[in-house]
Amino acid sequence: HPTADLARIALAGEIADVRISAARPGLQEVYVQALPGRAAEIARDPDVAYVGPASTGFASENEASALITAGLTGAAPGYEDHLADLGLSGAGVNVTIVDSGIDPRHPDLAPALVGKVERSKLATGVPADDGGHGSHVAGIVAGRGLGFAAPGLERPRDAGGYLYGLGVAPGAGLIDQNVLANTASGPLCGLGWPPAEWEPLTADALALDSHIWNASWQSCEGTGAGYTFSASEMDRLTRDGDSSSDGPQPFTMVFSAGNSGQGSNPTDTRLTAPKEAKNTIVVASLDVAAPNNISSFSSRGPARDGRIVPTVAAPGGGVLSTRSTTATASCSTPVLPTAHPLGSLYAACSGTSMAAPHVTGAVALITEWWRGAHEGADPSPAMAKSLLVNTAVDMGKRDIPNRHEGWGRVDLDNLFRSEALRGYVDEDVLLSDVGESHVVEFDVYEDVEEPLRVTLGWTDAPSFPGAPRALVNDLDLIVTAPDGTVFRGNVFDRGMSQSGGEADALNNTENVFLDATMAGTWRVEVVAAALPGDGDPFRGDGTDQDFALVVSYPSTVPPPVLLPDDGADDPAEEPESLPTGLRVR
């Protein structure tokens, strides 16, 4: 039925695709990966007319989907060489996979495993992933792409030469936090999930030196449910994931948007809970075979209060990754013949569950990169999110931000290899009074047809569950061009900032994006418009807010400074330094 509740069907298995039936107008074709025994359950749904076997048309991709995330769509095999050129792999960064477990026997996963926490109903330390979902997700984040290291057996590649089992951050460590193993043969909700408290999960990860998690699941509070209790908790835990430890314990959370497709009108949110949290990174799915297309199953926003969700998009439709060797549920159908030496190691799967770990792997690379430039310090969750947004690519027609892709497809090439100059403020400025501001100025020395992109983000205080507007503290982004034109955050038309407009009072991510940059001094101002809450409970007073700011602007060469000829024998010299960087006051 065209208005079928896909979230209800999704409880029985992984929704791979949703298509409008060409042969039977008015009907949807829903492709579900589920155990054969679940077919009768799906058939009993009053909206379902027929259940039968089908081919989903999965494409065998993995290294190729990592290349899309890297900003190298369609590039030839060679993702490892690309990372080597950047000097990055995710090394030293631990990522927690909160899922059905990680198969410790898989040759692409075993070298990455650095810790395990068993919180499912299975016996402690069970060395398996009977669900299959967690192993597939883990391989997307940090799979090593090794295959069996048997003599004479080459590393596994598909027909195009792309490595099977190679993740986005193949040097990162994986923490196996098994919370969903008990759902392998039953529904997600009701068998010990969701947990009574969320903080033990983040505290577990922090205790194992992991400040990032991948959350390709829902909290069972409904679809389009608004700002739920769990959403409020995620906002709190982003600032401090372990309240029993001294000081803040920041924690970056990456969530899948959900597989409930889009509603009948532009305000009909299909996000599964707790994806309407403010401080998390929520990921939509794009199709690997068509990387400018959002997957039909990908849950659309906006949040019920109008906020821009999802945050960004990444490959999720038709992704090949590591298959649990004991998998009996999700992502369990091998893509290679069982007679093949690697026949049991890789499976194809689709869903925003597959899109989120691409971004989680991207955050691991960003963390390694940031540490190298900031004396080993991690980027704040607000900075990690802001960097992804600042460098994302508008998919298809110019229309960001929107309810389908958020701020666009993740493109790490725009971050790691861009020639743009970039300045940062990462939560080292605290605004404590309404009207207080922080100003950044920078110089551009000639008019250029190159972009200017300014992103403001902040870890907002949690609001009350059910609040009609989730935002607590309101900061405004104001960018003033050299000619006096004023651009306010999130005033967009056809993918580009427009002058004028009203300040955004809903979102805690604000952007000013321009296609061209004029010469002169630019002014960026962050203004505290409203501070009713304690944005940073570890310093300042009870009404304050810190923030992350990313300014990306063209690298133009200043004109030479000619010194007067004083008659000396030595030619005139230019000064040793010129004001080319950000000036902060």
Side-chain angles (χ1 to χ4, degrees):
H1 191 276
T3 60
D5 186 349
L6 298 183
R8 194 167 63 235
I9 296 174
L11 294 177
E14 189 83 13
I15 294 180
D17 200 3
V18 181
R19 307 172 190 169
I20 302 300
S21 174
R24 300 172 181 82
L27 294 180
Q28 294 181 98
E29 296 174 348
V30 183
Y31 294 79
V32 182
Q33 285 194 106
L35 291 173
R38 308 301 293 278
E41 176 185 341
I42 298 172
R44 286 193 295 270
D45 190 296
D47 289 334
V48 174
Y50 166 79
V51 173
S55 169
T56 59
F58 285 132
S60 295
E61 306 283 359
N62 194 14
E63 182 183 5
S65 63
L67 286 164
I68 292 172
T69 306
L72 304 173
T73 300
Y79 182 62
E80 287 176 310
D81 292 338
H82 168 71
L83 290 179
D85 289 342
L86 296 174
L88 299 173
S89 68
V93 181
N94 292 338
V95 175
T96 300
I97 307 298
V98 186
D99 217 293
S100 63
I102 299 175
D103 184 356
R105 292 178 290 247
H106 198 293
D108 293 337
L109 300 176
L113 283 167
V114 295
K116 179 178 176 63
V117 180
E118 182 65 57
R119 283 192 173 272
S120 74
K121 288 187 177 180
L122 297 183
T124 300
V126 171
D129 172 17
D130 290 337
H133 193 271
S135 293
H136 198 277
V137 164
I140 297 170
V141 175
R144 299 310 201 236
L146 298 173
F148 290 125
L153 193 61
E154 295 183 358
R155 297 179 69 185
R157 297 181 184 273
D158 68 8
Y162 296 102
L163 280 167
Y164 288 158
L166 183 64
V168 175
L174 294 174
I175 307 294
D176 176 8
Q177 190 172 65
N178 190 341
V179 296
L180 299 176
N182 53 291
T183 69
S185 59
L188 172 65
C189 304
L191 295 176
W193 185 262
E197 295 181 83
W198 294 105
E199 185 168 341
L201 274 63
T202 54
D204 283 346
L206 288 163
L208 292 170
D209 193 30
S210 173
H211 298 257
I212 306 166
W213 80 6
N214 186 87
S216 290
W217 38 261
Q218 57 159 307
S219 59
C220 304
E221 294 165 293
T223 299
Y227 194 73
T228 63
F229 169 79
S230 292
S232 178
E233 277 293 276
M234 299 308 164
D235 283 340
R236 177 180 72 86
L237 295 170
T238 302
R239 173 69 71 177
D240 185 18
D242 184 2
S243 59
S244 67
S245 298
D246 293 337
Q249 306 294 319
F251 200 78
T252 300
M253 303 184 188
V254 182
F255 275 92
S256 56
N259 298 330
S260 297
Q262 58 182 315
S264 58
N265 62 70
T267 60
D268 184 6
T269 178
R270 306 300 296 161
L271 299 164
T272 54
K275 318 306 170 56
E276 293 195 34
K278 299 169 290 184
N279 300 331
T280 59
I281 300 166
V282 179
V283 186
S285 170
L286 59 89
D287 293 330
V288 173
N292 278 327
N293 294 340
I294 290 292
S295 304
S296 57
F297 56 76
S298 187
S299 288
R300 270 55 166 195
R304 286 185 63 179
D305 62 4
R307 283 178 291 118
I308 301 163
V309 190
T311 313
V312 288
V319 176
L320 185 144
S321 185
T322 44
R323 173 187 179 273
S324 174
T325 56
T326 58
T328 59
S330 297
C331 307
S332 61
T333 304
V335 296
L336 295 170
T338 54
H340 191 282
L342 305 173
S344 64
L345 293 186
Y346 305 102
C349 228
S350 285
T352 56
S353 285
M354 285 66 245
H358 281 89
V359 176
T360 303
V363 172
L365 294 177
I366 287 171
T367 300
E368 181 189 11
W369 170 78
W370 185 269
R371 287 175 177 177
H374 296 83
E375 300 180 343
D378 285 353
S380 70
M383 176 55 71
K385 183 177 182 179
S386 296
L387 288 167
L388 289 168
V389 168
N390 186 265
T391 55
V393 175
D394 200 344
M395 296 168 56
K397 66 179 181 180
R398 299 286 303 271
D399 60 353
I400 59 167
N402 61 65
R403 63 193 291 255
H404 310 282
E405 65 188 289
W407 291 100
R409 183 180 70 239
V410 168
D411 189 323
L412 293 180
D413 206 45
N414 280 343
L415 175 60
F416 296 144
R417 300 204 300 186
S418 170
E419 294 183 356
L421 296 174
R422 196 168 281 120
Y424 313 97
V425 175
D426 191 13
E427 296 191 344
D428 52 2
V429 175
L430 189 67
L431 302 177
S432 300
D433 298 302
V434 172
E436 186 179 0
S437 67
H438 181 76
V439 175
V440 168
E441 291 183 342
F442 59 94
D443 295 326
V444 175
Y445 294 98
E446 61 180 342
D447 293 345
V448 288
E449 295 296 317
E450 295 178 25
L452 166 71
R453 296 171 74 95
V454 182
T455 301
L456 168 68
W458 63 97
T459 301
D460 195 32
S463 187
F464 290 108
R469 192 188 79 157
L471 192 72
V472 175
N473 289 333
D474 182 16
L475 305 183
D476 289 339
L477 174 63
I478 303 172
V479 176
T480 305
D483 66 357
T485 303
V486 174
F487 300 92
R488 298 184 183 279
N490 293 355
V491 179
F492 274 73
D493 182 46
R494 287 168 289 185
M496 188 173 69
S497 291
Q498 305 296 308
S499 60
E502 299 295 326
D504 186 332
L506 285 177
N507 294 282
N508 64 327
T509 297
E510 296 191 12
N511 289 287
V512 170
F513 293 167
L514 298 172
D515 285 345
T517 312
M518 69 173 61
T521 298
W522 287 77
R523 176 185 173 94
V524 175
E525 188 172 11
V526 179
V527 182
L531 297 175
D534 193 358
D536 187 347
F538 297 94
R539 56 181 176 158
D541 55 28
T543 55
D544 55 29
Q545 186 63 59
D546 54 11
F547 57 88
L549 180 69
V550 181
V551 182
S552 300
Y553 61 104
S555 175
T556 60
V557 178
V561 177
L562 300 179
L563 301 180
D565 186 355
D566 58 3
D569 293 336
D570 294 333
E573 296 180 354
E574 294 182 7
E576 293 183 358
S577 62
L578 290 165
T580 59
L582 285 179
R583 301 196 302 274
V584 182
R585 70 182 186 205

